[in-house]
Amino acid sequence: MKFRVERDVLAEAVTWVARGLPARPPVPVLAGILMQADDDGTLTLSAFDYEVSARITVAADVAEPGTVLVLGRLLADISRNLPDRPIDVATEGSKVQVTCGSSRFSLLMMPSDDYPTLPTSPEPSGSVDGHVFTQAVAQVSVAADRGDTLPILTGVRVEIEGDRMTLLATDRYRLAMRELHWNPSATDASHVVLIPARTLSETARSLGASGSIDVALGTAAGGDGLVGFEAGRRRTTTRLLDGEYPKVSSIFPTTSETESVVRTHDLVEAVKRVALVAERNTPVRLRFSEGQVAIEAGTGDDAQASEAVEATLTGPEIEIAFNPTYLLDGLGAVGTPFSRISFTQASRPAVLSGQAEEDGEADTSYRYVLMPVRFAS
């Protein structure tokens, strides 16, 4: 195999493919990146660890076609640090020679015959706007569980009905749901899949800038238990989580007694400051009254803090307590100048949604449900 490729092109491609390589692979070959140079002037880089596959095709000046397997993270480090000149890659015996200007590296060739076969290229079931999808995934994945107690809660539930896509995640203390439109290939599309939140977040971030993302579900993804994404010349598949997701839609309150609208940035800053005195696992208390919300933390002999922020109130006054981290996660995900918080009572979940203007309508396409913390009055 022998080819020449631009340094930036190779560095970007290798970095993207290598991002999901396991740090301690169960089998040594899984730490590798498969490089395939073809006569048609393309270079395809692939990685697969039986859970996630990544594949990217870039333009290259191919003198001799061929396939080699080399250590992925090492190739990524090398290609990022080479001078900004064309890179020549050629096989020589059991080594792969990488040359760029006067820099020369000799990499060990790994046995490509032992490398697992990648899932077939997914056939798209539809497409979604890259920016909207990236934002939606970020808004929902904050609520996914980060522990291993209940693996099913580490996923994002993606439900598709026709041209509507609904993303949902919960860790039992909060629940986030985002609805968006997508362009299905079939108008009667209907799917429910559970995608690992961490993988989905990385995929959305890395593909979102491409403008439009093709999504492959069901048998179109290249096999049962897989979901596929493609944008530009980047393709990736992910193994889905197994199991029945808990029925959580009933958690959303159908009515609200009290609603408050507050400037998102002001509330975020105030909660951050007041939470400085909140010991680990202790809540911040919010008292909503006409014209303001008072935020307090700390009790008795401990350090205490309080601050008030302007807010509008509809309905009776209410005092409620939240885990400050969970509250800040929700406020950070809303993405609008104002936030609307709806309550039924101090012991029931509150619903956070965004709105563009103080006296405007709430944007309920994103809702963040937060369980209150009981506190001694």
Side-chain angles (χ1 to χ4, degrees):
M1 185 181 82
K2 188 176 182 182
F3 65 85
R4 170 174 280 202
V5 63
E6 291 299 321
R7 176 248 175 193
D8 286 353
V9 171
L10 184 67
E12 188 184 328
V14 175
T15 302
W16 184 74
V17 170
R19 79 195 195 292
L21 287 176
R24 287 183 291 277
V27 187
V29 289
L30 295 184
I33 279 182
L34 199 63
M35 292 199 289
Q36 186 178 335
D38 289 313
D39 279 331
D40 60 358
T42 60
L43 171 68
T44 302
L45 306 175
S46 321
F48 184 41
D49 65 355
Y50 292 108
E51 294 291 326
V52 179
S53 79
R55 186 180 299 175
I56 184 169
T57 305
V58 295
D61 188 0
V62 180
E64 287 176 33
T67 303
V68 294
L69 184 69
V70 292
L71 273 175
R73 290 183 190 276
L74 180 58
L75 182 62
D77 289 342
I78 291 169
S79 56
R80 275 198 302 267
N81 287 288
L82 286 172
D84 193 6
R85 301 173 69 172
I87 298 173
D88 288 301
V89 179
T91 52
E92 210 172 273
S94 63
K95 297 286 181 73
V96 178
Q97 305 295 338
V98 178
T99 312
C100 180
S102 60
S103 299
R104 292 174 182 275
F105 291 86
S106 185
L107 307 183
L108 196 64
M109 214 188 294
M110 299 167 79
S112 56
D113 294 345
D114 298 347
Y115 202 69
T117 307
L118 269 82
T120 53
S121 295
E123 285 292 318
S125 308
S127 64
V128 62
D129 179 278
H131 172 71
V132 173
F133 186 66
T134 305
Q135 184 198 33
V137 169
Q139 287 179 316
V140 168
S141 54
V142 293
D145 201 345
R146 289 169 180 80
D148 295 328
T149 332
L150 275 171
I152 203 150
L153 296 184
T154 62
V156 171
R157 182 183 186 271
V158 181
E159 181 178 355
I160 282 168
E161 277 300 329
D163 67 349
R164 182 172 292 278
M165 181 185 285
T166 305
L167 309 183
L168 188 144
T170 181
D171 61 2
R172 293 170 297 173
Y173 303 106
R174 63 258 176 89
L175 184 155
M177 185 170 92
R178 170 70 195 268
E179 294 175 327
L180 61 148
H181 285 284
W182 78 311
N183 308 305
S185 305
T187 50
D188 60 347
S190 179
H191 300 277
V192 176
V193 293
L194 198 55
I195 307 171
R198 201 168 129 254
T199 310
L200 183 60
S201 296
E202 288 173 0
T203 301
R205 276 200 305 270
S206 67
L207 298 182
S210 303
S212 178
I213 300 175
D214 287 338
V215 184
L217 298 148
T219 49
D224 277 346
L226 292 176
V227 61
F229 299 95
E230 182 170 350
R233 293 193 152 199
R234 300 177 178 196
R235 300 188 293 280
T236 178
T237 64
T238 302
R239 189 160 294 286
L240 300 170
L241 292 170
D242 281 332
E244 189 69 33
Y245 203 72
K247 290 179 170 51
V248 289
S249 51
S250 59
I251 291 173
F252 286 96
T254 49
T255 59
S256 65
E257 299 289 319
T258 302
E259 288 193 344
S260 179
V261 176
V262 61
R263 192 176 287 277
T264 308
H265 176 263
D266 293 354
L267 185 56
V268 166
E269 293 303 310
V271 171
K272 278 182 183 173
R273 282 189 287 268
V274 171
L276 293 172
V277 301
E279 294 287 325
R280 191 166 174 266
N281 292 333
T282 59
V284 291
R285 302 181 300 282
L286 285 79
R287 191 165 62 251
F288 291 86
S289 54
E290 189 54 54
Q292 70 166 36
V293 51
I295 305 135
E296 297 174 357
T299 52
D301 299 333
D302 297 329
Q304 294 172 313
S306 66
E307 186 167 336
V309 174
E310 263 187 58
T312 63
L313 186 73
T314 310
E317 295 184 1
I318 189 168
E319 185 170 2
I320 194 164
F322 295 119
N323 175 309
T325 305
Y326 296 165
L327 177 59
L328 289 170
D329 281 347
L331 291 167
V334 164
T336 51
F338 292 90
S339 293
R340 180 186 293 254
I341 312 175
S342 309
F343 312 93
T344 46
Q345 56 193 62
S347 59
R348 304 289 301 150
V351 183
L352 179 64
S353 52
Q355 60 188 63
E357 294 168 4
E358 190 171 20
D359 51 0
E361 288 291 312
D363 176 8
T364 55
S365 66
Y366 177 65
R367 286 177 290 167
Y368 183 88
V369 178
L370 188 53
M371 297 297 289
V373 179
R374 293 186 186 281
F375 62 98
S377 41

